[in-house]
Amino acid sequence: MTFKKASILLKALVPALIIGLALCGCATSEEEKDSRPKDQVTVGFSQIGAESDWRIASTESMQSTLTASAGYNLLFKDGQQKQENQLLAMREFIDQAVDYIILDPITETGWDATLREAYDAGIPVIIMDRRVDTFDDSVYTVWAGSDFLLEGKRACKWLRTYLKSISFSGDVNIIHIKGTTNSSAQLGRTKALKSAAKKYGWNILMSEDGDFVQAKGREIMENALATYGDDINVVYCENDSEAIGAIEAIEQSGRRVGSDISGGEIMILSFDATRQGLLLTLNGKISVNTECNPEYGPVCDEIIGKLKDGLEVPHEMFMEESQFSAITDIKEIKVGDEIYPVTMVDRELIDARSY
Ligand code: GYE
């Protein structure tokens, strides 16, 4: 076909294409929005994945709170641990002209353009759990999450207090199983460990990304045991799933987990305090478990309620968190000028835990 013929054909086809598109029922985002019940709030939720019990609990919290009977139309997208999936989900939500977007960002950077698009489309974005590192913070409405650095400081201060309480004078040799690299939870918990290690002279023998996943926690611990063997006396796991994997590897190797590091046990420190994690804390396999609260459903419901009513919401909101142990000697720890209680874990507390 000559260029001239092709261009005549194209000219003839373009109007037909436009009419076709108009007739095919492809609704614009505004039409889509208008077709929804007026009293229903449409929320697009871009979740990271299902890598841990914590993550599953946070999804459940959202799905059981933002229900149809509570007036919500919740559009849920599982990012399967990939930022590009989360960005795609955000774009879809913007195209669908949802009323609100909730984003739990896998890592901190890379969100500027998409958040700006949501902002320009007039869709308020609630960032939950992990943070975003943006050029301009006003592109999102509110961030609600944990103080991950404080969580890490509490864990390290507990360890320091414990070592003093048993007058431990040997080397503290730590295997550090990190969470997903560049996620807020990893950055905060890792920063706390590194500065405590420097301050107290602890050795970090190995530091590897376990992606918050049990299988990777296990694999890293197997490698650590093969390389450092009996030198290891502490494992700092950045979540319960990794801790479960590490415990499996240690027990498989014939060593024992527990707080008696002078007697050859390997001490496990963990974060999240899920039901599984607390059970391991109760039986002494995890020595201290610093809580990270996954119950974002009620928090987001409250934020959306306020925004709907035109009320102010703070730009940052922190979750309430505790710390658990079965070692009765340490009832509290001090971080900076603040005293934090350490809650003794028991059966009743675990039974009351919904995740
Ligand atoms: O600790 C871990 C999860 O971002 C706080 O992500 C969250 C972390 C949590 O997969 O278990």
Side-chain angles (χ1 to χ4, degrees):
M1 197 186 302
T2 63
F3 175 75
K4 201 170 171 196
K5 275 189 189 158
S7 89
I8 291 169
L9 193 66
L10 204 66
K11 273 187 192 146
L13 278 177
V14 166
L17 262 174
I18 293 172
I19 295 166
L21 275 175
L23 292 177
C24 82
C26 311
T28 66
S29 51
E30 278 316 308
E31 280 164 359
E32 198 169 329
K33 190 173 181 157
D34 288 346
S35 69
R36 294 186 199 124
K38 289 280 164 293
D39 52 352
Q40 202 180 47
V41 182
T42 298
V43 178
F45 172 32
S46 169
Q47 174 62 295
I48 292 170
E51 73 282 5
S52 64
D53 287 349
W54 188 100
R55 182 71 44 212
I56 292 163
S58 85
T59 298
E60 272 171 16
S61 170
M62 205 68 84
Q63 288 177 331
S64 62
T65 313
L66 307 189
T67 57
S69 59
Y72 289 99
N73 169 26
L74 181 64
L75 310 176
F76 174 78
K77 288 272 177 191
D78 178 341
Q80 302 191 343
Q81 293 266 77
K82 288 198 173 67
Q83 185 175 37
E84 61 261 35
N85 291 343
Q86 288 202 281
L87 289 168
L88 221 71
M90 297 263 297
R91 293 247 158 69
E92 274 181 45
F93 296 150
I94 297 168
D95 285 348
Q96 289 166 303
V98 299
D99 299 309
Y100 299 90
I101 291 175
I102 301 174
L103 168 69
D104 191 334
I106 182 159
T107 49
E108 295 199 345
T109 51
W111 306 98
D112 286 79
T114 315
L115 285 173
R116 168 64 59 190
E117 277 174 46
Y119 181 84
D120 290 342
I123 304 172
V125 178
I126 300 164
I127 310 281
M128 60 162 265
D129 168 31
R130 302 182 184 172
R131 285 177 180 272
V132 288
D133 180 1
T134 45
F135 178 67
D136 172 8
D137 280 357
S138 63
V139 288
Y140 62 90
T141 308
V142 48
W143 166 79
S146 303
D147 186 337
F148 300 112
L149 180 61
L150 178 61
E151 287 176 357
K153 285 183 177 173
R154 286 171 79 170
C156 292
K157 201 52 184 285
W158 184 94
L159 176 59
R160 166 75 174 165
T161 313
Y162 176 77
L163 295 172
K164 270 176 128 182
S165 78
I166 60 164
S167 309
F168 187 76
S169 57
D171 284 342
V172 178
N173 292 328
I174 303 174
I175 298 301
H176 174 205
I177 307 181
K178 296 198 295 175
T180 305
T181 301
N182 284 332
S183 67
S184 309
Q186 179 270 319
L187 293 168
R189 293 168 190 169
T190 296
K191 187 172 181 191
L193 176 65
K194 288 210 170 135
S195 58
K198 197 164 168 207
K199 185 165 174 191
Y200 304 127
W202 301 339
N203 308 315
I204 301 177
L205 300 178
M206 182 173 146
S207 184
E208 267 189 35
D209 183 349
D211 218 6
F212 289 123
V213 172
Q214 181 173 339
K216 290 200 186 162
R218 186 188 166 111
E219 195 184 307
I220 292 172
M221 196 63 222
E222 281 167 358
N223 292 340
L225 286 160
T227 314
Y228 299 101
D230 289 346
D231 288 346
I232 303 166
N233 47 19
V234 174
V235 188
Y236 184 91
C237 304
E238 290 190 358
N239 81 343
D240 281 340
S241 301
E242 292 176 343
I244 294 168
I247 292 169
E248 283 170 1
I250 295 167
E251 292 185 334
Q252 184 97 47
S253 78
R255 285 200 58 191
R256 279 179 304 124
V257 285
S259 56
D260 182 14
I261 54 174
S262 309
E265 288 184 341
I266 299 183
M267 169 178 278
I268 310 282
L269 278 70
S270 183
F271 295 86
D272 282 356
T274 57
R275 177 190 279 264
Q276 272 288 357
L278 286 179
L279 275 169
L280 291 164
T281 312
L282 182 65
N283 69 22
K285 292 191 178 184
I286 291 175
S287 293
V288 70
N289 205 329
T290 306
E291 186 181 35
C292 186
N293 186 346
E295 308 217 274
Y296 282 95
V299 177
C300 290
D301 180 39
E302 195 189 320
I303 293 173
I304 291 172
K306 285 194 174 151
L307 294 175
K308 252 173 51 187
D309 293 342
L311 299 173
E312 286 272 308
V313 288
H315 199 58
E316 278 196 1
M317 291 168 71
F318 287 93
M319 302 291 274
E320 293 259 330
E321 292 171 337
S322 316
Q323 190 172 38
F324 302 98
S325 176
I327 296 171
T328 51
D329 297 353
I330 304 169
K331 305 250 177 322
E332 58 184 34
I333 49 144
K334 196 169 176 212
V335 175
D337 291 332
E338 286 288 324
I339 306 271
Y340 295 93
V342 179
T343 306
M344 290 308 121
V345 66
D346 58 22
R347 212 47 250 196
E348 207 184 320
L349 194 143
I350 296 172
D351 289 344
R353 202 109 179 133
S354 60
Y355 53 90

